[in-house]
Amino acid sequence: RRHTRLLTVTGVQTCALPIFTIMRALPAFLPTGVAVLFVMLVNLPVSVTGGLMPAPLLAFIPIYFWSLLRPDLMPPGVALCVGLLEDLLSGGPPGLWAAGFLAGYAFTDQQSDSLGGLSGIGAVLGFASAVFLSSFVAYFLAALVFWRFSPIAPLLLECAVTVVLYPIVAPILDRKSTRLNSSHSQQSRMPSSA
């Protein structure tokens, strides 16, 4: 027999397990939701800089951040899907940014011990190396698809803008991850009702 938590709603005792389970699993979708939100945000048909600078790769920031901090919440499949969404919304051939994000994810995963221990300018340089690798994979795949090399200056500027935004966005993600980790540790200490 399976025991569930019961909830009294307007005098009637009901099973609250589905709601409790959904509420408990909701924080696990935060990294994916932030990455998807950032993809949609940078692909809005509005430019803050008036078209002077390319849109940054904001979606790569949560991929990098959570693949270092909580890889269980940012698996490679999510990086692939976020990259595909970036491709679809930006109008590029499907697979360019998906492969780029996966390459950046793989680099971050392979170097997680080194990158995870960095702070200050070292952390920014670690992120810069991952975002440049990701961008160059997408660049060379685009060269294969279109049979020509595009000008590299816009890509370098896009990377630079993304790296400049990392120290601004990372502390916000860090605060969210602190809440996520504290709620995760509280839930793991809760006695099960089995």
Side-chain angles (χ1 to χ4, degrees):
R1 185 181 130 165
R2 186 173 176 192
H3 297 278
T4 60
R5 295 176 190 245
L6 298 176
L7 180 68
T8 304
V9 178
T10 62
V12 179
Q13 201 173 39
T14 61
C15 177
L17 183 63
I19 295 170
F20 179 73
T21 304
I22 291 170
M23 294 304 290
R24 194 170 167 190
L26 197 58
F29 294 109
L30 179 68
T32 303
V34 169
V36 168
L37 176 70
F38 283 177
V39 168
M40 290 193 277
L41 185 67
V42 298
N43 286 296
L44 287 174
V46 177
S47 175
V48 177
T49 63
L52 294 175
M53 288 196 267
L57 291 171
L58 275 183
F60 189 72
I61 295 174
I63 290 171
Y64 175 83
F65 182 84
W66 269 297
S67 67
L68 280 178
L69 193 67
R70 292 278 309 269
D72 60 318
L73 298 180
M74 185 59 72
V78 171
L80 175 76
C81 291
V82 170
L84 283 173
L85 185 63
E86 177 71 35
D87 289 330
L88 293 173
L89 293 181
S90 66
L96 294 183
W97 283 114
F101 285 2
L102 274 178
Y105 182 94
F107 170 77
T108 305
D109 186 48
Q110 290 293 318
Q111 301 298 321
S112 62
D113 292 337
S114 301
L115 295 172
L118 298 175
S119 63
I121 192 71
V124 174
L125 292 175
F127 173 74
S129 61
V131 79
F132 276 101
L133 173 72
S134 177
S135 298
F136 283 114
V137 166
Y139 177 79
F140 285 114
L141 285 175
L144 286 174
V145 168
F146 297 118
W147 288 92
R148 66 179 178 87
F149 284 102
S150 300
I152 201 162
L155 180 71
L156 293 174
L157 187 57
E158 179 179 44
C159 290
V161 170
T162 305
V163 170
V164 167
L165 289 175
Y166 179 73
I168 298 167
V169 175
I172 297 167
L173 296 179
D174 190 40
R175 276 188 293 243
K176 295 297 180 189
S177 73
T178 303
R179 287 185 188 163
L180 184 66
N181 288 336
S182 67
S183 70
H184 181 265
S185 63
Q186 287 174 354
Q187 288 174 358
S188 64
R189 285 182 280 175
M190 288 178 57
S192 63
S193 58

